[in-house]
Amino acid sequence: DSGVTQTPKHLITATGQRVTLRCSPRSGDLSVYWYQQSLDQGLQFLIQYYNGEERAKGNILERFSAQQFPDLHSELNLSSLELGDSALYFCASSPPGGAAYNEQFFGPGTRLTVL
Amino acid sequence: EDKVVQSPLSLVVHEGDTVTLNCSYEVTNFRSLLWYKQEKKAPTFLFMLTSSGIEKKSGRLSSILDKKELFSILNITATQTGDSAVYLCAVKDDKIIFGKGTRLHILP
C-alpha cells in the first residue's frame, strides 16, 4: 500500500458523459501527478500539480481538466467521454523539495470503461 | 520529439537466469531516470538514477545510467517467478515520459 488513495476503483459510463476521478496523496506529499494507461499507448503522463498550482502538462486532452485543492487532494475531470478514453487512470504523489528528483508513489488506479 | 524506448518488449527466461533490460532516451532537459515494476496493479518504484556510472543496487536488482550514451540498464540476477512483471522506465525533464515497458516472464 503506497499511501495514495484513489476513488472510485471502477467506473462504467456511456459516451458523451462526464466523470470525476479523485486522488488523495500520501501524507506530507505536495505533488500530485495524473496518468492514463491504455493497452496500446502505455503509461501517459497527463498533468502535475504542486501545492495547488499546475506544474507540468503532458498529453492531456482539452476535454480533460484537473485541479488540486487546499487539502491537497486532486480531481481529474473527464468530459464528453469517448470510447477511446477507456483506460486505467493512475494518480501518483511525491515528496516536497525538488519533485524532479523524487520518486513517485502510485495509487491503485481507477479503471474507466466507456460504453 | 522526446522519447523513451525500452527493449526488449518481451522476455521469457527460466528461473535462475540473469536478465538485462534496456532503456534509451532522448529528452530536452534530463533530470532523472526511474525504473518501476508493474504487476497487476500500480507501478512500484525500484530505482531513481541521476548520475552516470553509479550503480544502484537492491537485492538481486541493480541499475546504472550512462548520460553520455543516453541509456540505462536494469539487471536482475538469479531470477524468480515473482520477478514476472512489466518493467517500466521513465525519464523526467520538464514532464515525465514513460517507455512502453518490457514484459518479463519467468518460467519455473
Side-chain angles (χ1 to χ4, degrees):
Chain A
D1 183 0
S2 67
V4 178
T5 60
Q6 288 186 250
T7 57
K9 191 171 180 178
H10 297 280
L11 194 49
I12 301 174
T13 189
T15 53
Q17 295 298 304
R18 173 190 168 93
V19 297
T20 297
L21 312 184
R22 184 187 169 104
C23 168
S24 292
R26 295 185 328 150
S27 176
D29 286 358
L30 299 181
S31 278
V32 169
Y33 306 77
W34 284 99
Y35 294 90
Q36 179 191 58
Q37 187 173 42
S38 56
L39 283 174
D40 55 341
Q41 291 290 323
L43 200 61
Q44 298 281 315
F45 168 64
L46 296 178
I47 197 163
Q48 178 202 353
Y49 280 84
Y50 181 83
N51 203 22
E53 302 280 329
E54 182 183 304
R55 177 62 65 91
K57 219 168 189 176
N59 300 320
I60 189 165
L61 299 172
E62 285 192 15
R63 300 183 286 110
F64 296 179
S65 65
Q67 54 185 325
Q68 187 179 27
F69 294 87
D71 67 351
L72 301 177
H73 91 271
S74 178
E75 293 180 358
L76 178 67
N77 299 296
L78 315 176
S79 61
S80 302
L81 285 169
E82 302 175 359
L83 296 176
D85 298 327
S86 295
L88 195 52
Y89 290 84
F90 286 110
C91 166
S93 73
S94 66
Y101 302 98
N102 285 328
E103 65 184 274
Q104 296 177 17
F105 299 87
F106 280 76
T110 293
R111 182 167 294 284
L112 173 66
T113 302
V114 182
L115 300 176
Chain B
E1 182 188 343
D2 294 341
K3 60 182 179 181
V4 175
V5 178
Q6 292 186 245
S7 63
L9 289 178
S10 180
L11 191 54
V12 180
V13 300
H14 283 99
E15 213 169 15
D17 288 350
T18 293
V19 297
T20 298
L21 311 183
N22 303 293
C23 174
S24 63
Y25 62 91
E26 289 179 32
V27 298
T28 308
N29 184 23
F30 176 90
R31 296 184 182 181
S32 59
L33 184 145
L34 302 101
W35 284 98
Y36 288 87
K37 177 182 181 183
Q38 186 175 25
E39 297 170 270
K40 289 183 181 177
K41 45 195 181 205
T44 53
F45 173 79
L46 295 175
F47 298 110
M48 182 173 66
L49 303 150
T50 55
S51 301
S52 272
I54 299 173
E55 186 183 52
K56 292 275 183 98
K57 200 168 169 64
S58 176
R60 297 175 293 101
L61 278 66
S62 63
S63 182
I64 197 160
L65 173 67
D66 185 328
K67 288 168 76 172
K68 184 179 176 186
E69 299 297 328
L70 308 183
F71 78 92
S72 174
I73 60 171
L74 175 68
N75 277 317
I76 309 175
T77 59
T79 52
Q80 302 171 357
T81 54
D83 296 328
S84 295
V86 175
Y87 290 83
L88 296 167
C89 171
V91 173
K92 284 189 177 181
D93 59 0
D94 297 325
K95 49 193 180 304
I96 302 132
I97 306 156
F98 275 81
K100 293 198 185 291
T102 292
R103 184 172 296 277
L104 175 64
H105 185 63
I106 311 296
L107 298 170

